[in-house]
């Protein structure tokens, strides 16, 4: 189905506006499909992302290191880790290198959950089943290109009102 039919809008200001709306709409569509696949495992995308980061690292990581690798940079990593601790998927220990930091490591329960979810890889990729390998490659190139847009640096010259 086309974007025009899906959102019942026939005219867009420009192809750029349509692309932005299409990207947001498609993100939400894919997000919904992924969330439905995670429901039986009682896990969120962010929790899954943290478990995959820990498995990929092969060693304990600080919450800061996890946050740097997260797909969702706005996530409250500490809160998500605490929820994983309550579920028995990870545990926290004091860092041996810097006692001010907490290291997070995956438990056997977390490893087993990820192993059981690994079978979903093909199912997840099937969301893009109508794209050829070349089209998927082009999509990746285009998405990378979109993110190349530089954001203007923050203006730090303005005075902040501090009273004391």
């Amino acid at each position: 189905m086309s974007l025009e039919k899906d959102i019942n809008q026939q005219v867009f200001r420009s192809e750029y506006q349509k692309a932005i709306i299409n990207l947001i709409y498609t993100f939400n569509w894919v997000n919904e499909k992924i969330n439905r696949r995670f429901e039986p495992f009682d896990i969120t995308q962010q929790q899954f992302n943290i478990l995959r980061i820990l498995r990929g690292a092969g060693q304990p990581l600080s919450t800061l290191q996890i946050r740097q690798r997260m797909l969702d940079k706005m996530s409250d990593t500490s809160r998500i880790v605490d929820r994983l601790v309550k579920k028995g998927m990870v545990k926290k220990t004091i860092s041996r290198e810097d006692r001010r930091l907490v290291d997070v490591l995956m438990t056997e329960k977390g490893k087993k959950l990820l192993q059981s979810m690994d079978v979903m890889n093909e199912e997840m990729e099937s969301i893009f089943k109508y794209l050829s390998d070349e089209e998927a490659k082009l999509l990746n190139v285009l998405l990378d290109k979109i993110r190349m847009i530089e954001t203007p640096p923050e203006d730090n010259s303005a005075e902040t009102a501090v009273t004391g």
Side-chain angles (χ1 to χ4, degrees), residues 26-164:
T26 304
F27 166 78
N28 288 322
W29 180 85
V30 169
N31 215 20
E32 181 183 323
K33 292 200 171 296
I34 291 170
N35 284 336
R36 271 193 253 135
R37 289 189 170 95
F38 284 174
E39 282 175 5
F41 298 97
D42 189 32
I43 192 168
T44 66
Q45 287 185 51
Q46 292 86 357
Q47 291 169 345
F48 177 73
N49 189 207
I50 287 175
L51 291 175
R52 297 237 354 200
I53 289 167
L54 290 170
R55 180 170 68 180
Q59 63 184 23
L61 296 174
S62 71
T63 52
L64 175 62
Q65 290 170 311
I66 293 170
R67 183 177 298 118
Q68 291 169 338
R69 298 178 187 193
M70 291 283 292
L71 296 175
D72 180 359
K73 300 294 185 192
M74 299 306 289
S75 295
D76 182 351
T77 308
S78 297
R79 182 180 52 82
I80 298 167
V81 166
D82 288 342
R83 287 191 178 156
L84 286 169
V85 167
K86 286 180 184 172
K87 291 181 177 190
M89 304 291 172
V90 301
K91 63 181 180 178
K92 297 193 297 188
T93 60
I94 302 296
S95 171
R96 292 180 183 167
E97 295 164 13
D98 185 344
R99 303 207 37 89
R100 298 170 297 176
L101 297 177
V102 173
D103 283 337
V104 181
L105 61 134
M106 194 169 8
T107 63
E108 278 304 310
K109 185 176 180 181
K111 290 175 186 176
K112 286 180 182 174
L113 175 70
L114 272 188
Q115 287 172 344
S116 69
M117 293 180 77
D118 282 343
V119 297
M120 288 183 6
N121 287 340
E122 284 186 32
E123 193 178 327
M124 300 289 272
E125 290 173 8
S126 74
I127 292 171
F128 296 99
K129 66 184 172 190
Y130 296 110
L131 296 182
S132 68
D133 283 349
E134 283 303 309
E135 289 170 328
K137 191 181 290 185
L138 176 59
L139 177 60
N140 284 317
V141 167
L142 293 173
L143 292 171
D144 288 345
K145 191 172 183 177
I146 289 169
R147 288 192 316 277
M148 287 175 36
I149 296 172
E150 291 184 12
T151 55
E154 290 184 31
D155 182 9
N156 293 327
S157 62
E159 290 184 56
T160 56
V162 178
T163 58

Side-chain angles (χ1 to χ4, degrees), residues 5-17:
K5 288 180 183 176
D6 285 347
I7 68 169
N8 197 23
Q9 180 175 336
Q10 302 306 312
V11 179
F12 297 90
R13 184 173 54 244
S14 68
E15 283 300 312
Y16 294 106
Q17 181 199 35

